Amino acid sequence: MSKLRWGMIGGGQGSQIGPAHRISAALDGHFHLTAGALDIDPARGRAFAAELGIAEDRAYGNWQEMLEAERTRPDRLDLVTVATPNATHYEISRAFLEAGFHVLCEKPLTMTAEEAEHIVAVSKETGRICAVNYGYSGYPLVRQMKAMIAAGELGDIRLIKAEFAHGFHADADEADNPRIRWRYDPEQAGTSAVFADAGIHAFHMACFVSGQTPAELSADFASMVGDRQLEDDAMINIRLSEGALCRLWTSAIAVGRMHGLTLQVFGEKGGLSWQQQHPEQLHWTPLNGRTQVLERGDASLSPQAVRASRIPIGHAEGMPVAFANIYHDLADVLRAEQRGEEPDPLAMDFPSAMDGLWSMRAIEAAAQSARSRGAWVGL
Ligand code: NAI
């Protein structure tokens, strides 16, 4: 089976997220890194592309050059990943979708809900996929949670507790470090800092596993370090479409917390608990029953979790492997399209532009609610 042709924008040498994408896309052998505009500096981008084995004529100085050249090639790209800084996502994703490319965009999809609505509309009009890299939803046991909830094993979902709290912006002496400062500057970061950057993953996970959409929310934002204008800690209550309540805590000042992404779901028939730092175990407690530990790699898990696992039970997988499940899903869908067949329904679990839009609505609603001392805001 020939490989799918894959292009990257951003993710240049030294970038934070670029390597995770390259590992993830390569993991199952579906994608070949064929073209790229990898860096804001054209020369550095071309040099790094050469190092990665991209042919000289497909190592571009910028994304506009890449778009113009790739759109007319008979061997055009099957998928383009956008891994540039946030403010560029809308323009780049939109341009590639309009030119007929499938896109996987890093989060956040856009800077505003209005822009995200445009992306959803363009994706619909062109029939091109716009996936968003809420990659933590690729963990096998997160997919197990979703499958158990969908199968009714928890009954009606009453409460979700979602957290993404770390402590890496807690040092007041570091607050003026330019790498940290911009995140709390509304001119550069938008209306929200830690919720938009970290908490939004917890928000997506709550919606993903429950299969519910957000209806309204109430937020309390706090800025605890120096003269930060945007929040470094937030508590958000979210009412979901089928009646579940999600209580979400996100923080950048929780000293001692590392990645701090956790998810607990409490239904009328039982509770589930998962921590991203211990992703190989899922705790399941049936009502009035004993707590059981479900292990990733157990063949008796749901088909969704089994499909998302690669390494035998007891051997830890990890974050790039979770991201690889997004690429695996996309590869299956793209190959089905090429064969003119319907995709495997199990491959349709990747986060879409609609998820990106809900996230942008949530960020705007949370900022609005926080400004009015926690008033409930509809989404
Ligand atoms: P970074 O600053 O470490 O790297 C950005 C890269 O993009 C650099 O190589 C830079 O030269 C390149 N670049 C910038 N503007 C460009 C342009 N116009 N054209 C081509 N290349 C350009 O940033 P990082 O941390 O890798 O973040 C990138 C994106 O990934 C952000 O949107 C961020 O929110 C997202 N991200 C997502 C994570 C997730 O869990 N899904 C985790 C970390 C980041």
Side-chain angles (χ1 to χ4, degrees), residues 8-19 21 37-41 44 48 61-64 82-89 92 105-108 132-136 164 182-183 196-197 201 259 319 323:
M8 261 195 112
I9 301 163
Q13 194 157 30
S15 67
Q16 191 191 344
I17 206 67
H21 280 278
L38 301 174
D39 204 291
I40 187 74
D41 177 320
R44 215 168 45 198
F48 188 47
N62 59 53
W63 67 265
Q64 290 92 341
V82 180
T84 50
N86 303 359
T88 61
H89 292 177
I92 301 175
C105 183
E106 257 308 338
K107 52 73 50 181
V132 181
N133 191 35
Y134 286 112
Y136 303 116
F164 194 158
W182 75 265
R183 297 167 190 275
D197 190 40
H201 283 289
H259 202 235
M319 181 266 240
F323 281 23

Side-chain angles (χ1 to χ4, degrees), residues 150-168:
E153 290 186 46
L154 281 76
D156 283 347
I157 303 305
R158 293 170 172 159
L159 186 64
I160 300 175
K161 176 85 188 308
E163 298 180 348
F164 194 158
H166 66 82
F168 292 108

Side-chain angles (χ1 to χ4, degrees), residues 179-202:
R179 287 189 46 244
I180 294 179
R181 190 165 186 85
W182 75 265
R183 297 167 190 275
Y184 298 94
D185 173 2
E187 294 283 311
Q188 296 181 69
T191 53
S192 158
V194 72
F195 178 51
D197 190 40
I200 205 64
H201 283 289

Side-chain angles (χ1 to χ4, degrees), residues 155-321:
D156 283 347
I157 303 305
R158 293 170 172 159
L159 186 64
I160 300 175
K161 176 85 188 308
E163 298 180 348
F164 194 158
H166 66 82
F168 292 108
H169 302 158
D171 185 349
D173 293 340
E174 276 285 299
D176 278 331
N177 177 334
R179 287 189 46 244
I180 294 179
R181 190 165 186 85
W182 75 265
R183 297 167 190 275
Y184 298 94
D185 173 2
E187 294 283 311
Q188 296 181 69
T191 53
S192 158
V194 72
F195 178 51
D197 190 40
I200 205 64
H201 283 289
F203 168 84
H204 176 260
M205 298 270 274
C207 298
F208 177 78
V209 301
S210 66
Q212 299 188 30
T213 53
E216 55 174 350
L217 62 73
S218 157
D220 182 33
F221 282 7
S223 300
M224 292 297 189
V225 176
D227 60 353
R228 282 178 183 161
Q229 292 183 63
L230 296 177
E231 87 288 358
D232 51 22
D233 186 278
M235 189 66 92
I236 304 174
N237 289 309
I238 307 153
R239 289 191 198 286
L240 300 177
S241 53
E242 314 285 317
L245 176 61
C246 173
R247 301 200 190 276
L248 189 153
W249 173 48
T250 185
S251 187
I253 56 167
V255 179
R257 301 264 307 215
M258 297 299 148
H259 202 235
L261 177 60
T262 68
L263 193 64
Q264 289 172 282
V265 183
F266 306 104
E268 58 183 354
K269 294 199 276 183
L272 287 168
S273 177
W274 180 82
Q275 299 179 41
Q276 196 239 335
Q277 285 177 223
H278 303 282
E280 301 282 297
Q281 286 87 30
L282 173 64
H283 290 85
W284 161 233
T285 313
L287 184 69
N288 301 323
R290 289 197 173 133
T291 298
Q292 302 162 28
V293 182
L294 309 189
E295 293 277 348
R296 186 208 53 77
D298 178 339
S300 68
L301 295 180
S302 66
Q304 289 87 335
V306 169
R307 179 178 185 276
S309 294
R310 293 167 184 75
I311 316 287
I313 191 167
H315 298 71
E317 291 188 349
M319 181 266 240
V321 189

